[in-house]
Amino acid sequence: MAFPVLQLGDLVARIPVVQGGMGVGISLSGLASAVANQGGIGVIAGAMIGMREPDVARNPIEANVRALRNEIRKARELSNGIIGVNIMVALTTFSQMVREAIESKVDVIFSGAGLPLDMPRHLRELCEVKKKEFKTKLVPIVSSGRAATVIAKKWLSRFGYLPDAFVVEGPKAGGHLGFKREDLADPGHALEVLVPEVVDAVKPLEDAHGRAVPVIAAGGVYTGADIRKFLDLGAAGVQMGTRFVATHECDADDRFKQSYLDAREEDVTIISSPVGMPGRALNNGFIEAAREGLKKPFKCIFHCVSTCQQEKTPYCIAQALISAMRGNLDRGFAFCGENVSRVDSIVSVRELMDSLEREYDEAGAAPKGTAGPEAAPKTD
């Protein structure tokens, strides 16, 4: 039994898998194009995408916008598939990067780390100013049905725009999390609870406007059996991040990928990020030093996130993540999903997609009441 397609308006992904947008520099044009070529939705992460630009400290807006434009162009040269970008609301360059993504004719913009209440305005204004129709799909990332309802009502009342889809991200995700630290282990916030909640929240919108608003499940999705489970709960697709780090095509340094292979369950920790949100990462000496007060406030050169209080925080989140992406994990750390300890090999994106489809098929053939196959736990 083949995967069902994931349809966002006139966009049709043959495989209902969105590759999560992972910054800083973990998912760029290389990974995004590889996923798109296999029939999924490949996503370029916008956070500090201009890190390699020579003027990023002097001129962060122009440098990041230029880098985003170049990565979208490179992804287009490598793939005819569906290419998206992830642009965090908290980025100081948010508005400029949204507009650049639309002008570069990216297929989808995914946006979280805040409520993207103003995103349709940029699409409407560009269509008017440029006298052309831009078809970029706008997809908010939410952590509750209430957030989905708030965004939809704001977009409809202010811009007459219905979200093209929603990503609902649960507490098992990697990186920055849209939950309070004390809520991360609360069963009431489990993705299995959140997906039906968001599906129920968007149903009246679908009925009122006569079109589908797909819900995409994210955070802890690891196997093809997981994909089937969330599709059975009403999701139209899933978003996966951790699995795609462990691919040859991932844009991170091999040492970053090796940290996933070496990860044990007890290595996964929750940090208090300088951006004011909890985050899930692999514990290491850098994180321990920050917790022990061995790092001091720094002079900010990037001004990348609006919620960062650089005069109080013990390290630069952008510099730490750039260092990690380059493999210098003694000067930073790797964000990860809760299931990172299950990663036991680096495979191609094609091999990963094939295994997910095979597991999805096997889960459908499993006797009722069983969960279907799961990846074997990693052994030393």
Side-chain angles (χ1 to χ4, degrees), residues 130-336:
K130 301 290 183 178
K131 305 300 181 189
K132 62 172 71 172
E133 184 181 7
F134 293 98
K135 295 184 177 182
T136 299
K137 305 295 185 277
L138 307 180
V139 179
I141 302 171
V142 298
S143 56
S144 68
R146 179 178 177 275
T149 300
V150 167
I151 291 171
K153 286 184 175 178
K154 288 284 188 183
W155 284 17
L156 286 166
S157 65
R158 295 174 64 191
F159 311 109
Y161 195 102
L162 182 67
D164 294 290
F166 284 101
V167 171
V168 53
E169 191 168 88
K172 292 184 178 181
H176 291 118
L177 305 169
F179 298 87
K180 296 178 181 176
R181 183 186 285 259
E182 59 268 25
D183 291 337
L184 294 177
D186 182 349
H189 294 290
L191 188 59
E192 290 83 353
V193 174
L194 297 178
V195 167
E197 177 188 308
V198 176
V199 169
D200 288 345
V202 303
K203 183 67 166 62
L205 299 170
E206 294 178 317
D207 293 342
H209 295 271
R211 71 172 178 85
V213 181
V215 174
I216 298 163
V221 182
Y222 195 86
T223 66
D226 292 337
I227 297 173
R228 182 174 286 279
K229 175 176 68 175
F230 289 111
L231 266 55
D232 286 346
L233 288 172
V238 300
Q239 177 179 287
M240 304 175 73
T242 294
R243 296 299 302 273
F244 286 106
V245 173
T247 61
H248 299 301
E249 296 92 338
C250 174
D251 295 280
D253 186 273
D254 285 345
R255 289 170 291 179
F256 186 101
K257 300 176 191 182
Q258 186 63 41
S259 73
Y260 275 39
L261 292 179
D262 296 339
R264 301 164 301 170
E265 191 173 347
E266 58 267 31
D267 294 329
V268 180
T269 189
I270 302 298
I271 66 167
S272 297
S273 170
V275 307
M277 303 169 74
R280 180 171 282 108
L282 285 174
N283 201 19
N284 67 0
F286 182 95
I287 289 174
E288 291 295 338
R291 285 175 172 157
E292 292 168 12
L294 301 179
K295 295 188 175 294
K296 303 299 180 186
F298 62 97
K299 183 178 179 181
C300 179
I301 61 170
F302 295 125
H303 304 285
C304 57
V305 179
S306 59
T307 54
C308 183
Q309 295 180 292
Q310 61 265 20
E311 69 280 359
K312 296 179 180 179
T313 188
Y315 62 89
C316 172
I317 183 71
Q319 192 59 63
L321 295 178
I322 290 170
S323 295
M325 181 274 297
R326 290 174 173 164
N328 300 321
L329 289 162
D330 56 335
R331 298 183 179 180
F333 56 85
F335 274 143
C336 65

Side-chain angles (χ1 to χ4, degrees), residues 19 31-42 79-83 349 353:
Q19 162 250 309
L31 178 57
S33 61
V35 174
N37 283 336
Q38 294 305 314
I41 298 179
S79 176
N80 291 320
I82 301 175
I83 300 294
V349 168
M353 291 295 214

